[in-house]
């Protein structure tokens, strides 16, 4: 204790108080001060990324002429703690460099048999107009059963060109081994998947499909229809899954012919999961695994309401996703068991989904 060695470079000189706001409440920390140099715990770096992204939104709002009162209200909602540093420079350059490195990092370190895609929407100012911007997110299940955030992009719409650009970027970074892509049937998305991810099957999200069905039936029938459709996904084998879909389509079609038409048209895509290991079925039938990510993003974007520009949208969305990704890596919990994942690559051959330049 207190021994001085030749390798010692500095000494502790008291501490400084810091309040860190978390989802569980405020934490009072004592951070050591040094006689020479500085110290900041690496544990807090992930939270600082989001803080800096929020600073950037506030500062850019000032720059783009949003009223002072509106910005002050925004500050109170984003960080209702006393002494929130309003006028301090957010240091975009360092933050943007970190976030760009996260978005562009290589993906060739492991295979991703399951790829989940989804989008959420925010408002941003573009050319002096307020327009809707899509935040598209991709997460992957690794061949050892873990999860990673593999991509995020912001764009004007969900056209085939936009989605194809996003998927090709994932491929260029080394994404490989994809056996199944799970998503909603967004306009343009399905065509992009079939064009860029040749060799991978597509699973239509069952939750979004049921919502689409609700839009075509009387409100009073919704509960009965949903319960009946759920029986399709409760079957024990691939054959009985597809047989039950036909049975349900005929049963509902007697009173709701539109539902029968929708079920039969979507049959192949709704039941794609059944060709994969049974242990995985419940977790690859929908995009529900992305719900937490979308909630975390919307929790912050909803209070901003209108972003000063698309760059601010991408900055904040990436900061949120990078933190969640770090949690998955730092505190690994298998999304699917390692043993069950072995069945996907029985020949241990690396599978590269083909792509098309058309």
């Amino acid at each position: 204790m207190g021994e001085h060695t030749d390798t010692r470079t500095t000494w502790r000189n008291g501490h400084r108080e810091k309040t860190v706001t978390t989802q569980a409440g405020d934490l009072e920390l004592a951070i050591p001060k040094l006689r020479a140099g500085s110290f900041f715990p690496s544990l807090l770096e992930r939270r600082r990324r989001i803080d800096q992204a929020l600073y950037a939104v506030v500062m850019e709002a000032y720059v783009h002429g949003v009223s002072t009162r509106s910005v002050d209200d925004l500050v109170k909602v984003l960080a209702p703690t006393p002494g929130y540093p309003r006028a301090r420079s957010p240091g975009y350059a360092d933050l943007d460099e970190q976030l760009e490195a996260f978005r562009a990092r290589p993906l060739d370190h492991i295979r991703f048999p399951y790829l989940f895609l989804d989008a959420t929407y925010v408002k941003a100012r573009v050319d002096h107009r307020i327009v809707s911007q899509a935040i598209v997110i991709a997460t992957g299940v690794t061949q050892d059963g873990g999860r990673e955030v593999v991509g995020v992009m912001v764009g004007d719409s969900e056209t085939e060109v936009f989605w194809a650009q996003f998927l090709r970027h994932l491929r260029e970074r080394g994404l490989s081994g994809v056996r199944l892509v799970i998503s909603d049937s967004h306009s343009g998305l399905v065509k992009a998947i079939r064009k860029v991810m040749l060799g991978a099957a597509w699973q239509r999200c069952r939750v979004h499909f049921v919502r689409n069905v609700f839009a075509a039936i009387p409100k009073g029938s919704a509960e009965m229809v949903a319960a009946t459709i759920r029986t399709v996904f409760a079957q024990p084998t691939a054959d009985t899954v597809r047989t039950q879909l036909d049975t349900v389509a005929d049963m509902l079609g007697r009173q709701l012919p539109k539902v029968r038409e929708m079920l039969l048209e979507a049959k192949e895509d709704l039941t794609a999961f059944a060709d994969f290991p049974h242990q995985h079925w419940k977790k690859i039938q929908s995009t529900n695994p992305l719900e937490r990510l979308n909630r975390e993003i919307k929790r912050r974007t909803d209070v901003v309401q209108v972003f000063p520009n698309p760059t601010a949208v991408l900055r904040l969305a990436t900061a949120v996703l990078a933190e969640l990704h770090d949690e998955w890596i730092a505190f690994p919990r298998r999304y699917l068991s390692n043993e069950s994942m072995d069945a996907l690559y029985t020949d241990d051959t690396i599978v590269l989904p083909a792509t098309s330049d058309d």
Side-chain angles (χ1 to χ4, degrees):
M1 294 293 292
E3 180 181 357
H4 292 191
T5 66
D6 294 338
T7 58
R8 187 169 186 173
T9 59
T10 187
W11 292 264
R12 179 173 174 173
N13 186 29
H15 66 271
R16 57 188 173 91
E17 304 291 340
K18 181 174 178 62
T19 301
V20 176
T21 300
T22 73
Q23 295 179 3
D26 290 346
L27 301 178
E28 300 296 333
L29 304 181
I31 298 180
K33 293 194 295 186
L34 307 179
R35 292 185 181 179
S38 62
F39 169 78
F40 193 84
S42 60
L43 175 65
L44 302 181
E45 289 296 330
R46 290 179 292 142
R47 181 61 61 183
R48 290 182 70 191
R49 278 198 299 250
I50 294 182
D51 290 342
Q52 290 169 352
L54 292 174
Y55 294 157
V57 172
V58 172
M59 300 302 288
E60 289 195 55
Y62 275 120
V63 170
H64 287 79
V66 177
S67 72
T68 300
R69 181 175 179 178
S70 296
V71 175
D72 286 342
D73 290 342
L74 175 60
V75 169
K76 291 175 184 176
V77 176
L78 291 175
T81 54
Y84 188 83
R86 278 178 36 188
R88 190 174 66 183
S89 168
Y92 302 168
D94 290 343
L95 173 63
D96 285 346
E97 184 176 337
Q98 294 175 36
L99 299 181
E100 174 58 28
F102 174 75
R103 288 192 297 269
R105 76 190 191 281
L107 299 174
D108 56 2
H109 60 290
I110 198 168
R111 293 176 289 191
F112 292 87
Y114 298 127
L115 182 68
F116 294 83
L117 303 173
D118 201 6
T120 190
Y121 296 88
V122 298
K123 299 291 185 181
R125 297 180 186 274
V126 178
D127 296 331
H128 307 290
R129 296 181 299 118
I130 297 176
V131 300
S132 179
Q133 295 279 280
I135 304 173
V136 298
I137 305 167
T139 65
V141 177
T142 60
Q143 71 179 80
D144 59 2
R147 284 198 294 170
E148 294 190 20
V149 176
V150 297
V152 57
M153 185 177 288
V154 172
D156 294 331
S157 64
E158 291 186 63
T159 63
E160 179 184 345
V161 172
F162 179 62
W163 276 110
Q165 178 187 3
F166 180 59
L167 294 175
R168 286 196 176 102
H169 181 57
L170 299 181
R171 292 288 313 282
E172 289 166 1
R173 290 165 50 208
L175 180 73
S176 68
V178 179
R179 296 295 180 85
L180 182 67
V181 181
I182 303 97
S183 76
D184 186 14
S185 56
H186 291 298
S187 175
L189 172 56
V190 179
K191 290 181 180 178
I193 291 172
R194 300 201 191 284
K195 181 178 291 186
V196 180
M197 307 300 289
L198 295 180
W202 174 55
Q203 169 66 40
R204 181 172 179 176
C205 174
R206 56 174 284 193
V207 175
H208 286 89
F209 174 79
V210 171
R211 291 174 187 167
N212 294 339
V213 169
F214 286 171
I217 63 175
K219 187 174 181 180
S221 302
E223 186 174 344
M224 179 274 293
V225 169
T228 306
I229 292 177
R230 280 197 295 270
T231 64
V232 173
F233 303 95
Q235 302 304 309
T237 68
D239 288 341
T240 55
V241 164
R242 294 180 171 109
T243 300
Q244 181 66 8
L245 187 144
D246 291 334
T247 302
V248 167
D250 290 339
M251 183 189 311
L252 295 176
R254 295 169 193 155
Q255 293 182 319
L256 302 165
K258 180 62 177 176
V259 176
R260 180 180 186 278
E261 178 184 336
M262 294 175 71
L263 280 165
L264 295 180
E265 182 180 348
K267 178 178 178 179
E268 179 182 349
D269 304 321
L270 276 178
T271 62
F273 73 90
D275 294 326
F276 293 84
H278 189 272
Q279 303 97 307
H280 301 175
W281 283 10
K282 289 185 178 180
K283 295 189 175 182
I284 61 173
Q285 295 172 356
S286 74
T287 57
N288 278 357
L290 292 181
E291 287 302 309
R292 183 196 170 196
L293 278 67
N294 281 331
R295 281 199 307 271
E296 290 297 315
I297 290 174
K298 294 296 285 185
R299 187 164 66 87
R300 294 165 175 89
T301 60
D302 281 352
V303 296
V304 177
Q305 295 185 352
V306 178
F307 281 79
N309 52 51
T311 300
V313 177
L314 182 61
R315 182 183 293 122
L316 182 55
T318 306
V320 172
L321 292 172
E323 179 184 341
L324 294 171
H325 171 85
D326 287 352
E327 287 182 10
W328 288 350
I329 300 302
F331 308 102
R333 292 174 55 190
R334 297 294 174 205
Y335 184 68
L336 297 169
S337 72
N338 204 348
E339 295 74 19
S340 69
M341 296 300 290
D342 291 341
L344 290 170
Y345 299 108
T346 54
D347 58 357
D348 201 31
T349 300
I350 293 179
V351 179
L352 292 172
T355 184
S356 168
D357 296 326
D358 295 340

